[in-house]
Amino acid sequence: MQHLDHFLGYPIPLFVKNLIIAVVAILAGLLLKFIIHKIFILLSRWWDFILIKSTIKHLRRPVAVFIPLLFLNFSLDVMQMPVTYRHPLDKALEIFLTAVFALILVRIINVLEDYFYFKYDLNKENNLKERKIRTQLQFVRKFIVSLIIIITAAIILLSFESMRKIGAGLLTGVGIGGIIIGFAAQKSLGNLLAGFQIAFTQPIRIDDVLIVEGEWGRVEEITLTYVVVSIWDQRRLILPITYFIEKPFQNWTRVSAELLGTVFLYLDYTVPIEPLRQEFSKLLNSNPLWDKRVNVVQVTDSTKDGAIEVRFLMSATNSSRAFDLRCNVREAMIGFIQTHYPESLPKKRLEFKDKFEGM
């Protein structure tokens, strides 16, 4: 039996032996990764579950790198090499494994996010609960990902002896440094705390309808420092997250997406109100935008110009449908009055007196 250090009677160079061990370790890792991947593919065919599909999508590549690197790291114990070569190789593998493991943690968060997005779908008609959970989930995800990145960077830097010495030296000035950093980061910390407050008290949520800075729009994104509001004409309004703690704004979907819509028409005193009520009810009953909750016609004011204010009050499941419903009703009611009661449209009255009257 030949010795492991020899092949066909010839000694195997140490470098070649170590290279063979490394290649075998990497191939073993790739084989294990291939087996795990095939198992998940089979599971996805047998069981149509979002977690399995999302795991394949997000974790396939990081795991394909992590497992071979892990096997290679284990194989270093078998290799024979001088300390001058082993130490840099150990350090490089440690850094790569730490970085890839952090990436796997981030991708696991993405998998959980996909699951919650699937479970709490925003496309529901009444999606108040879904918007609450998504708002919290989005903020918590970004905070945890930032934390993972910071901790990973700290672990990698502190693994170097020179960095640890620098850190020990800086500890003597940590008091003054903390005060300086506190003043410098006051705004950022304020934004972070405001983000936590918004995520859990929820004055705004993802997909909420707001009137802010005189603009109508929906909350599209909430980050650690700012909020993106999608305006109705496809513009984006970017506001610091502290804005929603410090300044007033309108939230049309704070409790529910349901909304009341109004149409005001100014008509002559001669207009009969009951036919308007009947026509309004007929319009609402034939319109799919109406949610069948509110149907009211009232004379709410009379003006000095000889006109009355008639309010048509209706309801819809959300602000977009309410806006469209109001436009439809306004057009239809004006057409109805023009056809059936043209004499009741607003008019100016002038009174002339004969200058010879009373002579």
Side-chain angles (χ1 to χ4, degrees), residues 1-21 24 78-80:
M1 184 178 177
Q2 293 179 329
H3 194 270
L4 291 176
D5 291 338
H6 291 73
F7 180 73
L8 298 177
Y10 296 97
I12 300 175
L14 192 60
F15 172 75
V16 175
K17 180 182 175 182
N18 290 338
L19 186 61
I20 292 171
I21 293 172
V24 170
V78 184
M79 296 181 187
Q80 297 176 7

Side-chain angles (χ1 to χ4, degrees), residues 4 44 61 90 101 103 131 220 222 226 228 234 241 245 254 260 269 285 298 313 330 342:
L4 291 176
S44 68
R61 291 182 180 177
D90 273 338
F101 183 71
L103 179 60
R131 291 187 287 110
E220 184 176 65
I222 301 175
Y226 62 88
V228 180
Q234 299 186 351
I241 201 164
I245 303 297
R254 178 70 179 87
L260 296 182
Y269 277 88
N285 286 319
Q298 293 174 316
L313 188 63
R330 187 181 293 109

Side-chain angles (χ1 to χ4, degrees), residues 162-195:
S162 59
M163 288 295 177
R164 287 201 295 269
K165 289 179 181 177
I166 292 172
L170 288 175
L171 284 176
T172 57
V174 71
I176 298 174
I179 294 172
I180 294 171
I181 291 172
F183 278 114
Q186 186 176 4
K187 192 87 173 173
S188 299
L189 290 173
N191 284 333
L192 184 62
L193 293 174

Side-chain angles (χ1 to χ4, degrees), residues 219-250:
V219 178
E220 184 176 65
E221 185 181 4
I222 301 175
T223 72
L224 297 178
T225 56
Y226 62 88
V227 176
V228 180
V229 180
S230 176
I231 308 301
W232 64 273
D233 57 1
Q234 299 186 351
R235 289 177 294 143
R236 298 297 186 272
L237 184 63
I238 313 296
L239 296 165
I241 201 164
T242 51
Y243 179 96
F244 297 93
I245 303 297
E246 299 170 352
K247 295 186 178 181
F249 61 92
Q250 294 183 40

Side-chain angles (χ1 to χ4, degrees), residues 77-329:
D77 295 333
V78 184
M79 296 181 187
Q80 297 176 7
M81 64 180 71
V83 178
T84 53
Y85 294 119
R86 178 182 291 276
H87 183 70
L89 190 57
D90 273 338
K91 184 62 66 177
L93 280 174
E94 180 185 339
I95 291 171
F96 280 121
L97 282 170
T98 303
V100 176
F101 183 71
L103 179 60
I104 288 174
L105 291 179
V106 171
R107 294 298 179 88
I108 288 173
I109 293 172
N110 291 337
V111 171
L112 295 174
E113 185 181 32
D114 285 349
Y115 171 72
F116 282 107
Y117 277 16
F118 174 79
K119 186 174 180 181
Y120 300 100
D121 187 8
L122 278 180
N123 294 323
K124 288 182 179 178
E125 192 67 41
N126 188 5
N127 58 2
L128 179 62
K129 181 180 178 182
E130 286 72 18
R131 291 187 287 110
K132 283 183 178 180
I133 292 174
R134 283 209 181 192
T135 301
Q136 292 175 343
L137 180 64
Q138 191 177 95
F139 182 83
V140 170
R141 177 183 66 81
K142 290 177 180 178
F143 179 76
I144 293 176
V145 169
S146 301
L147 201 60
I148 290 172
I149 293 172
I150 292 171
I151 292 174
T152 302
I155 290 172
I156 291 173
L157 290 174
L158 291 174
S159 66
F160 294 96
E161 188 67 29
S162 59
M163 288 295 177
R164 287 201 295 269
K165 289 179 181 177
I166 292 172
L170 288 175
L171 284 176
T172 57
V174 71
I176 298 174
I179 294 172
I180 294 171
I181 291 172
F183 278 114
Q186 186 176 4
K187 192 87 173 173
S188 299
L189 290 173
N191 284 333
L192 184 62
L193 293 174
F196 270 113
Q197 186 174 345
I198 283 175
F200 293 98
T201 61
Q202 298 196 336
I204 59 170
R205 308 179 191 90
I206 297 297
D207 207 42
D208 262 351
V209 176
L210 307 181
I211 302 293
V212 57
E213 294 292 309
E215 300 281 3
W216 183 98
R218 292 181 179 274
V219 178
E220 184 176 65
E221 185 181 4
I222 301 175
T223 72
L224 297 178
T225 56
Y226 62 88
V227 176
V228 180
V229 180
S230 176
I231 308 301
W232 64 273
D233 57 1
Q234 299 186 351
R235 289 177 294 143
R236 298 297 186 272
L237 184 63
I238 313 296
L239 296 165
I241 201 164
T242 51
Y243 179 96
F244 297 93
I245 303 297
E246 299 170 352
K247 295 186 178 181
F249 61 92
Q250 294 183 40
N251 188 336
W252 287 11
T253 53
R254 178 70 179 87
V255 177
S256 170
E258 296 173 342
L259 201 66
L260 296 182
T262 56
V263 169
F264 291 96
L265 294 182
Y266 295 89
L267 305 170
D268 191 75
Y269 277 88
T270 58
V271 67
I273 301 301
E274 192 55 37
L276 298 185
R277 285 198 177 97
Q278 295 174 5
E279 180 65 17
F280 181 59
S281 296
K282 180 182 174 182
L283 286 172
L284 291 183
N285 286 319
S286 62
N287 197 317
L289 298 174
W290 184 50
D291 65 1
K292 305 187 184 327
R293 288 189 302 119
V294 177
N295 171 4
V296 177
V297 177
Q298 293 174 316
V299 178
T300 52
D301 199 4
S302 57
T303 68
K304 296 179 179 179
D305 297 329
I308 59 173
E309 181 184 76
V310 182
R311 185 183 71 173
F312 300 86
L313 188 63
M314 64 214 83
S315 58
T317 54
N318 58 55
S319 58
S320 297
R321 294 168 70 92
F323 180 80
D324 292 339
L325 180 60
R326 289 169 60 205
C327 292
N328 293 347
V329 167

